[in-house]
Amino acid sequence: MEPVTEAILNQFETNVIGNYGRFPLTLTRGEGTRVWDEHGNEYLDFISGIAVNALGHCHPHWVKRLQEQAAKLVHVTNLFYIPQQGELAEKLVQLAGPGKLLFCNSGAEASEALLKLARLHGRRRCGNDRQCYKVIAADRAFHGRTFGGMAATPLEKIQGGFHPMLDGFAFGKINDIDSFVSLIDDQTAAILVETIQGEGGIYVCENEFLQDLRRLCDDHELMLIIDEVQCGAARSGTYFAYEEAGIRPDAIGMAKGLGGGFPIGAIWVADEFSDLFQPGSHGSTFSGSPLACTAALAVLEVIEKEGLVDRVKRLGAKFMGKLEDVAREFPEHIVEVRGRGFLIAVAMRDDFMPFIGELRDHGLLTVGAGTDAIRFLPPLNVDESDLDRAIAIFRSVLSEHE
Ligand code: PLP
């Protein structure tokens, strides 16, 4: 594998802040599940921009919709009505239930809006004196890198260097309802969890646990807030991952796959809470632009037209089954397979980073998750033959370790 050219390395070294550890690869073109590096080498992209490129690269319908909209109107401001925003909100309400949307540009911004919402709810419920502003989140959670998101992300790796954190967060353990019950006090406003913890290592909330959280929130008048930034947008085999549990949250965070590669985030808020934000209480310049909303509409159009929700459910289960076969063949390397749909992690016994490098050298791009796992995030419309090819590559890399 040829290295990244000296010129590009120098350009980055000199001009780009080093806040990322980068793989030694320069990607220059993509089509569907495939990407090519600057030397023309081809890779299967099972990172999908970390669960962003829901339709793979350059899906023709998505590209056409963006090109047409870019030639017409890209950005105005939320001082005006934006028809694409209204249309997208309507579609997301159809998916999430009675409520309203607020748009933003990223997952961290969605978390930020959700945390502000929790405070507004706490204030309405308790008044100014009692100060109900606390949020119970979860161990191994990841909600973004802003001060709110970071405070809800109890990892020294994320928080280190940025203390003091925003006040008012406590952390339970997913699938252990008692750990949440014991943290509730008379200042608690909300519970915030990812249905499937992504960055933390792909840990799935069990249906019963989500149902218990719903009951707990109802009993204590807390908002149940679900961060679906990574597991939503059909990645888990239902449009929202929490649907599997048959519950309805009070608010949902979205981003990543929502725009299929164009930056857009959103929160859905149930009717009961949707008047908490009033004119002037929140906003952001770029949010919900004609172009961003068109990108998200194009993703939803393709998801519907190509039946991707059912496809992910069917092929995700099959792919996971095949990874479990591989895990049984190589127990000396693999601890377990976790996840659902196309949000899957294979937990390794030893350092997973060398495996990620070797998979890359064999033409398969994957990314780590948590402290122990290789994450597989194919696009929702991946060909079954490419899933099989990924399994074959994984098997051959593991065999080389025998
Ligand atoms: N929430 C979850 C569940 C995420 O996985 C992420 C990103 O990985 C975020 C929030 C932050 O999103 P962004 O990187 O778009 O700010």
Side-chain angles (χ1 to χ4, degrees), residues 50 52 105-111 141-146 194 196-199 227-231 255-256 264 375:
I50 317 191
V52 166
N105 309 288
S106 68
E109 276 185 53
S111 298
F142 184 87
H143 297 290
R145 304 271 193 163
T146 50
E194 299 154 80
I196 302 175
Q197 296 185 314
E199 297 306 305
D227 181 342
E228 291 256 338
V229 165
Q230 184 153 166
C231 59
K256 285 193 182 278
I264 179 169
R375 194 167 11 165

Side-chain angles (χ1 to χ4, degrees), residues 247-267:
I247 58 146
R248 184 168 290 165
D250 298 313
I252 308 165
M254 304 168 227
K256 285 193 182 278
L258 182 63
F262 197 91
I264 179 169
I267 65 167

